Amino acid sequence: MPRKEIKLPYKLERLSILDEKGKLDKSLEPDIPDELLLKLHRAMLAARRFDERLLNLQRQGRIGTFAPITGQEGAQLGAVANLRPDDWMVPCFRETAAEIWRGKTMDNAIIYFGGFDEGARPEDERNDLPIAVPVGSQTLHAVGLACAMKYRRKDTVVMTFFGDGATSEGDFHEAMNFAGVFQAPVIFVCQNNQWAISVPRSKQTRSETLAQKAFAYGMPGIQVDGNDVLAVYAAVKEAVERARAGEGPSFVECDTYRMMMHTTADDPKRYRSEEEVDEWRGRDPITRFQKYLKAKKLLKDTDIEKLEQEIKGEIQSAVDRAEALMKKLGDPLDMFSHTYAEIPPHLAEQKEELSQVLTSDKQEANHG
């Protein structure tokens, strides 16, 4: 029998609308209201400054370790800006900008990174899940939620974020397969920031792109310039509309870069060159977007200076409130209070054991 080419229903595209120098492809420019463009810019700038302040707090020993997002503001905000309030967002551990866009306060972010679980609790009105630290595990949660939305005949969609490292995990492939088979309304947003801690993208996979993995699971995939907020917005908008129309899941690979360390617990100078960082610094998503907004006469240098002062004040107020609250928190038994509605027997036993240890320590201290 002759060999025959199998025709696949998908082809892979890379989308870029605003290049590194701020040059616009007018034919691809998305129709985004001016108000939303300015809101996106403010959110990107606030996320950058908040990231810098968190690093400052961590280095002073005022909070614990966290995962910086500098360089990835366009990927996160361009994606999440397409969600309605009643849609679901399922983050991993590097979505601070997206979480704040959805309504998380800077106060709670500081409290969480300060080591208090109270900061991880989503506000009641937010259909978001807390941060998931185990790599890739949250993709399964997202598909479960999406299947539930479909079962209940709702038109809400689910967006989950993960990094390039997660695409090497079994959970990711199980989630993609399940979503494809059951046509779950979920959008997989991969922030390919080139490094899974110290492992480069080239050692994650032999695939030319991460986006092409979508085809194996029967869903459309696209690679976008993740430092181009317009391209991310446009690609994710199409994916959200497909999901909301009952046409199943999509995979969006945002080709971006982590400008700082993986977390504040590692030193990136030990595994990547400064030349590489400098090259990506020239593709900064905020600088590029500001050039676009200035060209549209929506933004001036004086506007940016005013915004910088406003944001600085907002962040300082959040730090003051969070540090005041953290002084009132700190009962170690609280760690058992925010995971299960009814505590399982083995955790109840651990809680009782810890309570006895703490009581004993307190009595010993009182006796000198």
Side-chain angles (χ1 to χ4, degrees):
M1 297 295 289
R3 293 186 178 186
K4 294 182 180 178
E5 181 182 355
I6 297 175
K7 302 293 185 183
L8 298 176
Y10 306 118
K11 59 180 180 180
L12 189 63
E13 295 180 336
R14 177 182 170 88
L15 179 61
S16 178
I17 298 174
L18 198 60
D19 73 9
E20 297 173 25
K21 297 180 179 178
K23 183 180 178 183
L24 176 72
D25 185 331
K26 191 70 179 176
S27 67
L28 296 174
E29 184 181 16
D31 183 16
I32 304 177
D34 292 349
E35 182 182 356
L36 180 54
L37 288 171
L38 293 174
K39 183 179 177 183
L40 277 168
H41 170 256
R42 193 186 197 288
M44 291 171 68
L45 195 59
R48 177 70 59 88
R49 300 296 174 248
F50 188 51
D51 214 37
E52 293 166 351
R53 186 62 193 276
L54 287 177
L55 182 62
N56 178 269
L57 292 173
Q58 194 275 335
R59 293 304 193 231
Q60 294 175 354
R62 294 160 67 182
I63 62 170
T65 191
F66 76 100
I69 66 163
T70 293
Q72 299 181 216
E73 298 90 349
Q76 292 186 26
L77 293 165
V80 80
N82 285 287
L83 294 183
R84 298 188 320 216
D86 62 333
D87 290 328
W88 286 83
M89 187 187 76
V90 184
C92 59
F93 51 79
R94 199 187 302 280
E95 276 73 54
T96 309
E99 287 188 290
I100 291 175
W101 179 274
R102 294 278 292 171
K104 182 172 185 171
T105 63
M106 290 182 181
D107 310 37
N108 277 345
I110 296 167
I111 290 168
Y112 176 75
F113 295 134
F116 296 94
D117 285 345
E118 286 84 349
R121 183 179 183 276
E123 288 76 4
D124 291 338
E125 65 272 17
R126 288 172 54 212
N127 277 350
D128 298 347
L129 264 55
I131 290 172
V133 175
V135 176
S137 60
Q138 75 282 1
T139 57
L140 290 166
H141 307 156
V143 175
L145 276 169
C147 286
M149 295 302 103
K150 184 177 181 180
Y151 179 77
R152 295 180 180 181
R153 300 182 185 279
K154 293 181 177 292
D155 71 344
T156 48
V157 303
V158 182
M159 179 179 294
T160 185
F161 289 91
F162 51 93
D164 42 301
T167 65
S168 297
E169 297 288 337
D171 286 355
F172 163 77
H173 295 281
E174 292 173 19
M176 293 280 285
N177 191 55
F178 209 86
V181 169
F182 292 96
Q183 289 293 281
V186 57
I187 299 96
F188 295 91
V189 179
C190 176
Q191 294 188 81
N192 173 12
N193 65 16
Q194 314 302 324
W195 289 90
I197 308 183
S198 58
V199 178
R201 152 74 177 79
S202 60
K203 292 187 177 178
Q204 284 292 330
T205 178
R206 289 284 292 177
S207 297
E208 184 69 20
T209 70
L210 299 178
Q212 70 197 65
K213 295 178 185 293
F215 305 157
Y217 299 103
M219 69 180 76
I222 186 170
Q223 184 187 69
V224 300
D225 181 342
N227 285 13
D228 174 0
V229 67
L230 299 183
V232 176
Y233 180 88
V236 173
K237 184 173 188 289
E238 292 176 3
V240 168
E241 289 174 350
R242 277 196 299 271
R244 214 181 293 288
E247 298 175 14
S250 300
F251 182 103
V252 180
E253 176 192 356
C254 298
D255 188 30
T256 182
Y257 194 74
R258 162 169 58 83
M259 300 291 285
M260 293 207 278
M261 61 289 290
H262 170 71
T263 72
T264 47
D266 75 295
D267 178 7
K269 293 180 180 177
R270 299 183 65 179
Y271 54 79
R272 70 183 187 189
S273 69
E274 282 300 300
E275 289 76 15
E276 179 182 301
V277 179
D278 287 341
E279 182 181 343
W280 278 92
R281 193 170 283 120
R283 306 172 191 173
D284 191 301
I286 295 178
T287 305
R288 193 186 310 187
F289 193 39
Q290 287 177 339
K291 289 179 180 176
Y292 169 73
L293 294 176
K294 289 178 182 177
K296 287 179 72 74
K297 301 190 182 306
L298 292 175
L299 192 69
K300 302 189 295 281
D301 286 337
T302 52
D303 297 328
I304 297 173
E305 292 169 7
K306 184 180 177 183
L307 270 179
E308 292 276 15
Q309 291 305 312
E310 288 179 6
I311 290 167
K312 183 179 179 181
E314 287 177 13
I315 293 173
Q316 184 58 51
S317 296
V319 171
D320 292 343
R321 288 192 298 267
E323 291 195 321
L325 182 57
M326 284 191 286
K327 290 177 181 176
K328 301 176 183 177
L329 300 173
D331 184 348
L333 295 178
D334 286 349
M335 75 174 79
F336 297 96
S337 303
H338 304 297
T339 303
Y340 296 97
E342 295 182 10
I343 187 168
H346 69 286
L347 289 182
E349 185 178 338
Q350 290 180 26
K351 182 178 181 180
E352 176 58 27
E353 183 179 351
L354 178 59
S355 176
Q356 291 178 10
V357 169
L358 294 172
T359 301
S360 176
D361 287 350
K362 188 174 182 180
Q363 289 174 343
E364 187 174 341
N366 290 337
H367 292 157

